[in-house]
Amino acid sequence: MEICTIMVLWVFGYGSLVWNPGFDFDEKVIGFIRDYRRVFDLACIDHRGTPENPARTLTLEPKEGSICWGAAFCIRGGPEREREAMEYLERRECEYDQKTIMNFYEDEDSLEPTLTGVVVFTSTFDKVLNKYYLGPAPLEQMAGQIATASGPCGNNRDYLFRLEKALFDIGHEDDMVIELANEVRNILGKVGKGLILKEKKNLIGPMTHLPFMSFISGVQVHQLAETAAVAMDS
């Protein structure tokens, strides 16, 4: 009798994978991992930043007692589908130098995991060993960097604002993400108001629009062609 083994791969997303997985999957489950928290300590120089002005994107920091909500994606169907998904993710998540196997949970009151052996892209917390690791920084410094960085996939602030919305949509907001997003809005609001006042002085005839107002609400400013570049967003 021939025995058929069904291959199953689970990948946990805690950043842009939550709203933009970019690969074919068979199932999506909302849940969390234990003893880790999000931090904006990783540089992105090819998606939403450049080598000269790197973006700040997410990685995970061990923190006992913390939980990090996100989404687990399942790929079924054998080694070929698994290989295609992992090749795509490794290109997309090229700043992450580790793949960590973790347990995944759905119920905060239970210590029994829903899934085991879930793949999570993580980083080495060492600036020598990991060239993409920026390390922590004060809130205002991080917000200033996020407010100004941009790259082929768009600007850094939209990554943050979309993350904030995605976590709201799944019903599990992150206080750190909200605080950082509000600080970025504060910075962009000040810049926007200054530019608006300057523009008003030079206007001839009625004002038809207010430049940079979309910064304040977090709506994307740059109209980019969202094709393969968006699919490779990190």
Side-chain angles (χ1 to χ4, degrees):
M1 181 177 67
E2 183 180 356
I3 298 175
C4 180
T5 301
I6 299 175
M7 301 294 291
V8 178
L9 170 68
W10 284 92
V11 178
F12 178 70
Y14 54 91
S16 64
L17 288 178
V18 178
W19 75 84
N20 177 31
F23 61 92
D24 290 332
F25 59 90
D26 298 291
E27 186 178 355
K28 177 181 178 180
V29 180
I30 302 303
F32 62 91
I33 55 175
R34 294 188 182 275
D35 298 323
Y36 284 88
R37 66 178 180 182
R38 291 181 184 84
V39 288
F40 275 84
D41 290 352
L42 199 66
C44 177
I45 62 173
D46 55 356
H47 295 162
R48 293 185 178 269
T50 63
E52 297 75 26
N53 189 20
R56 273 190 176 265
T57 55
L58 286 173
T59 187
L60 291 176
E61 178 182 74
K63 178 71 172 179
E64 186 175 357
S66 292
I67 62 174
C68 178
W69 284 89
F73 299 90
C74 178
I75 301 96
R76 299 187 180 93
E80 183 63 22
R81 287 200 67 206
E82 179 178 329
R83 182 187 61 80
E84 290 176 358
M86 287 307 298
E87 285 181 353
Y88 165 79
L89 287 168
E90 286 171 353
R91 292 193 305 270
R92 170 173 168 164
E93 311 293 343
C94 59
E95 291 90 0
Y96 299 86
D97 62 341
Q98 295 179 336
K99 290 189 284 290
T100 305
I101 305 302
M102 300 189 189
N103 293 333
F104 173 86
Y105 303 82
E106 291 181 271
D107 184 358
E108 290 186 66
D109 296 325
S110 175
L111 296 179
E112 289 296 319
T114 304
L115 300 166
T116 60
V118 177
V119 177
V120 186
F121 284 80
T122 57
S123 307
T124 303
F125 282 77
D126 188 309
K127 293 181 180 180
V128 175
L129 298 176
N130 182 2
K131 66 179 181 178
Y132 296 108
Y133 180 60
L134 296 173
L139 179 68
E140 290 185 3
Q141 181 179 329
M142 288 197 296
Q145 191 170 351
I146 291 170
T148 57
S150 63
C153 287
N155 53 59
N156 198 180
R157 59 184 174 270
D158 284 344
Y159 173 91
L160 172 61
F161 295 145
R162 288 179 181 181
L163 172 66
E164 181 186 34
K165 181 180 185 302
L167 296 177
F168 173 82
D169 288 343
I170 68 172
H172 296 284
E173 295 174 286
D174 186 318
D175 290 342
M176 180 277 293
V177 172
I178 294 171
E179 182 181 23
L180 184 56
N182 285 336
E183 183 63 25
V184 170
R185 290 188 184 95
N186 183 46
I187 291 172
L188 294 172
K190 290 177 181 177
V191 172
K193 289 175 183 176
L195 289 172
I196 290 168
L197 291 174
K198 182 179 179 180
E199 185 76 11
K200 281 182 177 179
K201 294 179 182 179
N202 298 325
L203 281 174
I204 300 175
M207 176 182 283
T208 57
H209 69 281
L210 298 178
F212 291 90
M213 281 301 289
S214 55
F215 280 0
I216 299 173
S217 63
V219 177
Q220 188 171 359
V221 175
H222 300 298
Q223 299 299 316
L224 300 174
E226 297 192 341
T227 55
V230 172
M232 294 298 292
D233 185 19
S234 73

